[in-house]
Amino acid sequence: MELMTNAALYQYLALGAVLFAIGLVGFMSRRNMIMIFLSTEIMFQGVAINLIAFARYHLNADGQSFVIFLLSVAAAEASLALALVVLLYRRRQTLNIDAWSEMQG
Amino acid sequence: MDCTLLIAVALGALGVFLLLPRAQASWRKLGALITVLVGGGGLFYLSRWAELQESAAPAGGLSLYFYIFAAIAVGSALAVISHPKPLYAALYFVILTLATSALLLTLYAEFIAIVLIVIYAGAILVTYVFVIMLASTPGGAPAAEYDKVSADPLIAVLVSFLLLATVLQLMFHVSGPGSPGFMNTNTGLHARALMAANLGYHLPQFSGIKTPAVGGMAVLGRNLYSHYALSLELAGVLLTVAMVGAVVISRKNEPPAALGSGELPTE
């Protein structure tokens, strides 16, 4: 195993940033509730790449441990979000997020 | 001041803006073309930049696999956010997950790579596909109107790519090569090697530091169960709570007829 160079680290960080930005675009522009939550998963993947790249750079297992927690939080988030989507779909028979735009505090 | 990065990000923003679902489908092809050009150019620029850094301070090799899987990951991520049909978007997300786990393999995170496939492609994506099938129009129907036209694409693209431009500008120009903070000559290499040796990694090029050869998975397991043992338990609690919550939320809200009436059913 060789030590990672700064240039290699920066490449992975740039990729993570690009994936995060793409996920953010999807999160804000899609109108389907399922697609909104799928976009958050793209953002999770970008962050996971960043954490693993730093773990590799510092040869430290902390980053990998954080990704384990990130994955469990992502799984919890996905299950709760999809349960909410099913609930909301039953009420209005549509996945359009605009159907709930009059919702207030 | 070097504006290449900003121009590339702006062009990428234009491409993604055109690529997003919209009423006129022909614009999407132009958007895809621009995005592919910008993505390819960006990867080429990144590889040239990395080669330049390598020639300044050679250490380790740059992996060709990074560029291949980075291209696949970014392309499939764009397909996820721009495909009008949710089921196809979910399938593109599987490709994104596979590309990401390949990238993690290039970072010697073999356990996380496998876990990513098992949890994302195996568990989370199956749940998504089930919900998509549960809550969509019967087969053969065209995509719904709210999937064909995206909401506020201009604001979404502006905000996201402004963030991306800031991050990349900070990385490559402010703290990048040439600034005193950038470790262009790989300073701290020996310190990092010592730290790695303490963790049990084997570094052949630092023959002065004797370490046992230990794989990444053993190191991860030791770290997880010594430093983060309590957090690991809490993660288990979190998953249990989320599971109970999901069951409670998605339960049908019908009055339990058989229970609580206090009477036995009569013939």
Side-chain angles (χ1 to χ4, degrees):
Chain A
M1 180 185 266
E2 285 163 332
L3 286 178
M4 195 183 194
T5 57
N6 294 300
L9 173 72
Y10 270 48
Q11 287 180 317
Y12 284 98
L13 295 188
L15 176 68
V18 168
L19 279 183
F20 191 89
I22 291 174
L24 198 57
V25 171
F27 185 78
M28 289 193 286
S29 73
R30 294 307 294 254
R31 291 160 71 198
N32 186 330
M33 284 189 276
I34 298 176
M35 295 309 300
I36 290 175
F37 287 114
L38 206 57
S39 302
T40 62
E41 307 289 342
I42 301 180
M43 291 197 266
F44 273 125
Q45 304 240 336
V47 174
I49 289 179
N50 266 12
L51 286 173
I52 299 282
F54 272 119
R56 167 85 176 86
Y57 180 77
H58 292 288
L59 291 173
N60 189 334
D62 280 352
Q64 296 196 22
S65 305
F66 287 166
V67 174
I68 296 271
F69 296 124
L70 186 147
L71 280 174
S72 50
V73 170
E77 180 253 349
S79 65
L80 279 178
L82 290 175
L84 276 173
V85 166
V86 169
L87 181 79
L88 295 179
Y89 179 76
R90 257 194 225 132
R91 293 261 174 96
R92 296 263 165 104
Q93 297 297 316
T94 177
L95 288 173
N96 192 349
I97 196 80
D98 294 336
W100 298 92
S101 57
E102 81 276 14
M103 201 162 65
Q104 286 184 352
Chain B
M1 187 184 148
D2 189 7
C3 287
T4 325
L5 189 68
L6 289 181
I7 294 170
V9 172
L11 273 178
L14 177 69
V16 173
F17 173 68
L18 291 176
L19 189 66
L20 285 175
R22 56 183 55 249
Q24 303 89 10
S26 53
W27 284 106
R28 293 194 57 216
K29 285 179 184 149
L30 180 65
L33 184 69
I34 295 177
T35 319
V36 166
L37 286 180
V38 171
L43 273 183
F44 180 71
Y45 186 76
L46 200 62
S47 70
R48 290 294 309 279
W49 176 83
E51 262 174 36
L52 211 69
Q53 302 300 317
E54 281 290 290
S55 61
L62 287 164
S63 168
L64 174 68
Y65 296 111
F66 171 80
Y67 300 108
I68 296 172
F69 289 114
I72 295 174
V74 172
S76 52
L78 285 169
V80 170
I81 65 159
S82 67
H83 206 289
K85 293 195 172 180
L87 195 60
Y88 284 88
L91 293 181
Y92 277 116
F93 188 81
V94 175
I95 300 178
L96 169 65
T97 309
L98 293 180
T100 309
S101 72
L103 283 169
L104 299 193
L105 277 181
T106 66
L107 292 168
Y108 293 90
E110 59 274 348
F111 179 67
I112 305 284
I114 300 301
V115 160
L116 202 74
I117 291 179
V118 169
I119 292 184
Y120 264 103
I124 295 183
L125 249 294
V126 169
T127 321
Y128 269 97
V129 170
F130 265 112
V131 172
I132 288 171
M133 294 204 287
L134 204 71
S136 62
T137 48
E145 184 270 337
Y146 53 82
D147 272 329
K148 278 200 212 138
V149 181
S150 49
D152 303 331
L154 187 65
I155 297 173
V157 168
L158 273 185
V159 170
S160 312
F161 278 80
L162 211 59
L163 177 72
L164 181 65
T166 315
V167 170
L168 291 182
Q169 188 79 9
L170 273 173
M171 273 173 55
F172 287 101
H173 289 305
V174 178
S175 78
S179 69
F182 190 75
M183 296 184 285
N184 202 4
T185 52
N186 282 312
T187 49
L189 205 62
H190 196 75
R192 280 197 278 144
L194 265 177
M195 205 166 7
N198 284 333
L199 284 163
Y201 283 103
H202 181 58
L203 301 169
Q205 77 269 40
F206 288 93
S207 52
I209 303 170
K210 293 271 181 268
T211 59
V214 178
M217 210 168 133
V219 176
L220 171 64
R222 208 182 305 138
N223 186 37
L224 210 51
Y225 282 95
S226 56
H227 291 271
Y228 298 104
L230 183 64
S231 313
L232 202 66
E233 303 294 328
L234 283 177
V237 173
L238 175 75
L239 284 174
T240 315
V241 169
M243 189 179 70
V244 173
V247 170
V248 169
I249 287 173
S250 61
R251 198 179 45 181
K252 279 216 170 95
N253 215 355
E254 289 160 352
L259 291 176
S261 63
E263 291 171 14
L264 287 172
T266 53
E267 277 105 51

